[in-house]
Amino acid sequence: MTAGFVIAVDGPAASGKGTIAQRLGRELGLPVLDTGLLYRAVGVLTERAGVGLDDEGATAAVAARLDPAELEDPALRTRGAGELASRVAVHPAVRAALLDFQRAFAARPGGAVLDGRDIGTVICPDAPAKLYVTATPEVRAERRWKQLSGQGEAVAYDDVLADIRRRDARDGGRDAAPMTQAPDATLLDTTEMTIEQAADAARRIVEAARARWERSRG
Ligand code: DC
């Protein structure tokens, strides 16, 4: 059972969910966990260890040993790390190894914001506020391309779009905790929105959810 006010922000890559989660956390004074970083760290560390990404037992062992201090590594923000993350994220044993850390974060007394793919469905199914943030693949690819270019990573737009489509298919098509909108999540399509508009819309959805949550607690 969730004690504090937990906000679950799910959605595909470059939908705006990370920025929205960070802003909500700042505005509400809640800690934010970007759960994609956990999978990115497992993917990168697995590769560095020379272990095959398809080896479920070995990747799960990397996940079980993960040190949260490693989540600060800028290497996790690269295009390659996103692909590695998506590949290790298909393994149920990897997901199981990361579950307790995410649930403990969500259980902080004051509440928390978590963004990912399965927060509203698997990690925090009873979160009082749930958002599913999406946008067309083309718009997401453009945003990711700009971000990667800004980081100095030279890459063609078409390659970023292909990455996005491949990851959407893998993350949404896997058997273990596939990316999907929870039945009680509010859909926020940011295709036509600036980040300011998306953040405002998210704030309104969360304010309404908070009012409902406070009423339900009497
Ligand atoms: O949010 P992101 O792009 O940093 O996530 C990287 C990959 O990690 C994503 O393609 C799938 C996986 N992931 C996941 O399976 N479940 C989560 N809660 C977060 C990320």
Side-chain angles (χ1 to χ4, degrees):
M1 186 64 192
T2 303
F5 186 66
V6 172
I7 307 174
V9 185
D10 288 306
S15 56
K17 67 181 189 314
T19 308
I20 286 172
Q22 293 294 338
R23 290 207 186 187
L24 288 170
R26 210 167 49 231
E27 286 163 9
L28 298 169
L30 297 175
V32 181
L33 180 63
D34 171 357
T35 65
L37 284 178
L38 300 171
Y39 294 91
R40 285 170 180 259
V42 174
V44 168
L45 293 172
T46 299
E47 194 180 57
R48 279 187 196 153
V51 176
L53 296 168
D54 298 331
D55 183 336
E56 178 162 8
T59 49
V62 171
R65 284 197 304 270
L66 192 65
D67 175 356
E70 276 155 342
L71 303 180
E72 304 297 326
D73 187 346
L76 304 186
R77 310 258 174 203
T78 63
R79 176 181 168 214
E83 177 68 15
L84 295 173
S86 173
R87 288 184 57 191
V88 297
V90 302
H91 299 310
V94 168
R95 308 196 70 84
L98 299 176
L99 187 73
D100 286 350
F101 179 76
Q102 296 174 82
R103 290 234 170 110
F105 193 94
R108 292 181 180 201
V113 186
L114 288 86
D115 78 85
R117 301 289 187 293
D118 63 340
I119 307 303
T121 50
V122 174
I123 306 295
C124 304
D126 58 350
K130 295 184 186 178
L131 285 163
Y132 191 81
V133 184
T134 190
T136 62
E138 291 77 10
V139 163
R140 290 188 282 124
E142 196 178 320
R143 291 176 186 161
R144 182 51 51 90
W145 178 79
K146 282 189 184 144
Q147 181 203 344
L148 291 170
S149 304
Q151 287 172 201
E153 200 170 341
V155 56
Y157 166 84
D158 285 347
D159 292 338
V160 179
L161 179 58
D163 282 358
I164 292 246
R165 290 193 195 282
R166 192 172 51 245
R167 273 220 269 155
D168 283 357
R170 193 188 293 116
D171 297 343
R174 67 186 178 219
D175 291 333
M179 170 177 75
T180 184
Q181 183 182 348
D184 54 348
T186 302
L187 181 67
L188 179 57
D189 186 334
T190 66
T191 302
E192 307 280 345
M193 295 181 182
T194 63
I195 189 59
E196 296 303 331
Q197 290 168 330
D200 282 350
R203 189 182 314 110
R204 282 195 297 276
I205 293 166
V206 167
E207 276 168 4
R210 185 158 198 145
R212 278 196 304 275
W213 180 70
E214 279 170 358
R215 273 200 306 276
S216 75
R217 284 155 44 100

